[in-house]
Amino acid sequence: WVFNSDGPNVCNIMPAMSFAVTWAAVSIVVPFTIPDDVVIARLKQSRDDAASAQAEEKTELAALAHMTRVRIYCKGVIYGLERAFVVAAIESGTAFILKNEFKWASLPTGYAVGGSLTFALPLAVLIGILKQCFGCRDVVFMRMGSMVAVLSTIFLYSQVSDALHASSDTAALIIITADSVIFAATYLTNGIVDSFVVQAALNDSVYSVNNFAVAGGCAMYVMRFFGAPLSRTLLVHGRVYYATMQLALAVCGHFMVTDIEAMVSK
């Protein structure tokens, strides 16, 4: 019945359906594409090397001063809150833009929002492959991810598509593509930040791994509650306000990431 309607249920269900279809396809394909013994051995060696590097990095973080570890922990929690807010705002804001500015129906709008989330998966996989091929440290990809998120947010401004003399469909595609890149970049960066927070955690205090996990779970729901209505409120007054909010959040996130990088690299 969802596919025959044009109400808000379509926009709500499509992102979840896109994830479900993607992971179902992955679950079906993976058993038939298991690599041979040589590749498995190579992957095991890569995993062992990564584990060794992570253990070394964890030892370095454990040697940091108490307040430095607390700062890493707190900034990691704040970045997680920001990431959850940004994702919720993009989901709701993009649906609002496509339906009200470009006059899309609910069904293609739902597919577009869900597709932007799904397309972020191969982007994240590609980034992971590049990271493994070039052997870059986590802090490098963390900084690159936050910078890519900042640059991608610029394409949310209507002035960009106007400057490119883009048609209505092309302008909508620019937004959807920017969403996909932002999703991939923020999730990648957040994953690396979380790993540093876990390594810097002080388990015999309030700054423990368990409290961090609880805070992360609460952040997802709380920020989704505030992100959607705020993004739509700003869009009612103009897309420039929504894009500026996203840009400001991305810039703040980048500064937090660079600060974490500076503390980790001491």
Side-chain angles (χ1 to χ4, degrees), residues 50-64 69 72 137-138 195-203 209 264:
S52 176
Q54 187 177 22
E56 182 180 349
E57 198 165 48
K58 184 174 182 178
T59 303
E60 294 175 357
L61 288 179
L64 293 175
R69 295 173 66 178
I72 294 174
R137 296 184 64 194
D138 285 342
S195 70
F196 287 136
V197 171
V198 170
Q199 294 172 38
L202 302 167
N203 290 324
V209 174
V264 169

Side-chain angles (χ1 to χ4, degrees), residues 85-146:
F85 183 90
V86 166
V87 170
I90 286 179
E91 289 180 7
S92 179
T94 300
F96 187 93
I97 293 171
L98 295 179
K99 285 179 67 67
N100 292 275
E101 185 175 336
F102 298 106
K103 308 303 179 185
W104 283 28
S106 293
L107 186 59
T109 297
Y111 275 122
V113 175
S116 64
L117 288 167
T118 305
F119 186 65
L121 176 62
L123 282 179
V125 172
L126 177 61
I127 293 172
I129 293 174
L130 292 176
K131 177 179 178 295
Q132 185 173 5
C133 291
F134 292 99
C136 295
R137 296 184 64 194
D138 285 342
V139 290
V140 176
F141 270 85
M142 182 177 67
R143 183 177 67 250
M144 289 175 57
S146 63

Side-chain angles (χ1 to χ4, degrees), residues 58 69 73 197-212:
K58 184 174 182 178
R69 295 173 66 178
Y73 187 98
V197 171
V198 170
Q199 294 172 38
L202 302 167
N203 290 324
D204 294 329
S205 67
V206 69
Y207 308 105
S208 65
V209 174
N210 289 335
N211 288 342
F212 176 67

